[in-house]
Amino acid sequence: MIPISAAPSFEKPDRVASMLAFLRRRVEGDYEVDEFGYDAELTDKVILELIRPLYNEWFRVETVELKNVPEESGALVVANHSGTLPLDALMLQVAMHDEAGRPLRLLGADLVYQLPVLSHLARKTGHTLACPEDADRLMRKGELVGVFPEGFKGVGKPFSERYKLQRFGRGGFVASAIRAGVPIVPTAIVGAEEIYPKIGDLKSLARLLGLPYLPITPFFPLLGPLGLVPLPSKWMIEFGEPIRTDEYEPSAADDPMLVFNLTDHVREVIQQMLNELRLRRGHAFPPLL
């Protein structure tokens, strides 16, 4: 259970006044969204406020080498993906907002935008479709863009393959970074692998529901909704030294061999970071032989 003391509180007069002012602005339409639908105030005051207890109290997230995240200019944050449910994306977003002081514009899979409620919420919180056009525009505007190249292969990997990076796709994220001339910040997230240990997959039911997978964990579906409570693992997020792309001409993004080699390099860097960070934190579970 999440400690009650960590939950958002509006008992103090200033908090109540702040909330009333927020509600009044929402009712009157006195707020702004950007061209992608990002609502900065809603994200900070409501969405992130709801998940901060997970970040601070449940997962006790610790960031390492935050200095490697640019303070103002555009960059592409590339991270490993895991955890059965993509809570790592939300925790990374909180880390960027609260500790780096920058909003993270995450690139989401097509499935996210095929679900009406989730699609609307994702847009409001700064996410956008993982397509070259949107990524290029955001980075050229100086935004911090986040991507998980493993996609569903990463977030849905079995527990036996924890902390082993899956394939990084075709390297579209690298091509976008080259076109925008922004650095790539390799990022390693340790802890997410352990919140829902996936030991099986209900493949037939997943196909019926149009889902990439339907996991079996030690607690789900055995314990029903209670099995959806994530285990309180200790998280660490490390930001590696930025990999520059401004030494290439924008046209280099069309060179498949260059893009492949740079993609492979980013993947190797993140894998090495994961290995080292996991040792630094200590093994929550004994390593597999």
Side-chain angles (χ1 to χ4, degrees):
M1 298 292 290
I2 300 174
I4 295 177
S5 60
S9 171
F10 302 106
E11 295 180 356
K12 297 180 179 180
D14 56 337
R15 296 294 296 273
V16 174
S18 177
M19 177 54 66
L20 290 175
F22 169 78
L23 292 175
R24 184 177 64 252
R25 288 194 299 274
R26 308 307 296 187
V27 171
E28 296 175 352
D30 184 20
Y31 59 91
E32 296 181 358
V33 297
D34 70 5
E35 60 183 302
F36 295 92
Y38 173 49
D39 188 329
E41 184 181 44
L42 180 69
T43 299
D44 180 33
K45 302 298 183 182
V46 178
I47 307 302
L48 295 187
E49 187 70 13
L50 290 173
I51 62 178
R52 282 185 180 111
L54 280 175
Y55 183 91
N56 293 316
E57 307 294 336
W58 197 246
F59 297 138
R60 298 155 290 143
V61 181
E62 177 184 347
T63 56
V64 181
E65 297 294 340
L66 201 62
K67 64 182 181 181
N68 286 323
V69 178
E71 294 182 359
E72 296 181 352
S73 59
L76 182 64
V77 176
V78 182
N80 59 298
H81 212 11
S82 63
T84 304
L85 292 180
L87 292 182
D88 51 2
L90 298 178
M91 296 303 105
L92 184 59
Q93 191 171 9
V94 176
M96 291 291 92
H97 185 280
D98 291 4
E99 300 195 39
R102 300 195 61 184
L104 181 66
R105 312 300 296 272
L106 291 167
L107 303 180
D110 293 349
L111 178 62
V112 174
Y113 301 97
Q114 293 171 3
L115 304 174
V117 175
L118 186 58
S119 172
H120 179 72
L121 188 60
R123 292 284 187 187
K124 285 288 187 181
T125 54
H127 303 195
T128 190
L129 186 64
C131 66
E133 294 78 15
D134 283 3
D136 291 359
R137 286 163 59 199
L138 284 168
M139 286 187 284
R140 285 173 178 155
K141 288 176 57 179
E143 297 282 359
L144 201 61
V145 175
V147 65
F148 296 87
E150 293 175 279
F152 289 118
K153 297 189 303 295
V155 74
K157 71 168 73 79
F159 189 63
S160 61
E161 297 179 16
R162 59 191 181 277
Y163 298 114
K164 295 179 181 179
L165 288 180
Q166 304 298 301
R167 184 172 171 269
F168 266 22
R170 300 178 181 177
F173 68 95
V174 165
S176 290
I178 292 174
R179 282 192 295 269
V182 301
I184 297 172
V185 181
T187 302
I189 303 175
V190 164
E193 299 273 11
E194 298 142 18
I195 61 174
Y196 296 112
K198 182 185 171 189
I199 57 177
D201 192 352
L202 299 171
K203 296 181 180 180
S204 298
L205 185 56
R207 284 195 298 269
L208 183 64
L209 297 174
L211 300 173
Y213 58 87
L214 192 60
I216 299 173
T217 76
F219 307 106
F220 181 84
L222 180 63
L223 299 183
L226 187 60
L228 295 176
V229 176
L231 297 178
S233 63
K234 165 63 179 176
W235 286 38
M236 296 182 74
I237 303 178
E238 180 175 6
F239 302 94
E241 185 175 346
I243 299 171
R244 295 180 56 182
T245 66
D246 56 356
E247 59 190 24
Y248 304 109
E249 294 293 330
S251 59
D254 298 322
D255 183 341
M257 187 55 66
L258 172 65
V259 170
F260 174 82
N261 288 336
L262 190 52
T263 300
D264 196 50
H265 174 61
V266 173
R267 184 180 180 279
E268 289 178 358
V269 169
I270 296 176
Q271 183 65 74
Q272 184 63 31
M273 290 172 60
L274 280 172
N275 297 340
E276 295 174 355
L277 190 63
R278 192 179 179 203
L279 288 173
R280 191 185 317 176
R281 184 203 62 166
H283 294 294
F285 296 88
L288 297 177
L289 297 177

